[in-house]
Amino acid sequence: CTVLAIQHFFSSPDIHEGNAVAERCWGTLLKCTRTALVHAGGDKEYVQFWPFLFNQFARVHNLLQTNKGTSAEPRWLSPMQIAIGYPREYSLERFKVMLCDCTCVLPESLRGHNLTPARLKGINLAATTRGAPNTSSTSPP
């Protein structure tokens, strides 16, 4: 926080009105996460992916630009740009549709025998930091 010149302000415990900005951010991220879970069918099996959804929406929120100027002189900045001080080249195309069905190629080293399928059905959990899709298998090998 010292490097980014962020000043700490402490609010009273258990009084959420004292920290409206943080509460608004939590509300926005939770609403997006709950909406995605409901859109996926609201199945109990998808609730386990809540942390992945929340992380994805936090990353998207930090990269989207908002107007920090006036309507006459707009100044479009993202929270990430404000934090690091310069625009970061990042394509939103890297973000994939979460909780959709996908297939994963199973490497030969992980196949038990020749009858093991080469592809497994999975659920897309978004892009990892390395850019490869992060999936969860829904059927055992």
Side-chain angles (χ1 to χ4, degrees):
C1 291
T2 308
V3 173
L4 296 175
I6 298 174
Q7 188 176 11
H8 283 267
F9 293 101
F10 298 98
S11 59
S12 302
D14 301 322
I15 301 175
H16 61 272
E17 292 88 357
N19 199 355
V21 174
E23 293 297 328
R24 175 67 181 200
C25 183
W26 275 105
T28 301
L29 296 175
L30 287 172
K31 181 180 177 184
C32 293
T33 303
R34 290 183 187 128
T35 302
L37 285 172
V38 169
H39 184 68
D43 297 331
K44 298 282 185 198
E45 68 182 82
Y46 290 132
V47 173
Q48 65 184 331
F49 301 127
W50 186 89
F52 293 99
L53 285 167
F54 193 84
N55 183 31
Q56 176 85 340
F57 290 118
R59 289 179 11 195
V60 170
H61 181 269
N62 286 332
L63 291 171
L64 291 177
Q65 295 181 341
T66 56
N67 185 7
K68 296 297 181 185
T70 63
S71 57
E73 290 185 27
R75 208 179 74 174
W76 295 93
L77 299 171
S78 68
M80 180 69 73
Q81 186 175 349
I82 293 169
I84 62 176
Y86 57 89
R88 182 174 178 207
E89 294 297 324
Y90 196 88
S91 174
L92 291 176
E93 294 172 357
R94 286 193 55 216
F95 291 101
K96 306 297 182 198
V97 177
M98 295 192 65
L99 301 182
C100 67
D101 293 336
C102 64
T103 56
C104 305
V105 176
L106 188 62
E108 287 188 33
S109 61
L110 296 177
R111 296 182 204 164
H113 48 77
N114 291 340
L115 299 176
T116 303
R119 296 180 180 272
L120 293 176
K121 181 181 176 188
I123 299 170
N124 186 21
L125 298 178
T128 62
T129 55
R130 291 172 288 181
N134 187 8
T135 58
S136 171
S137 174
T138 56
S139 59

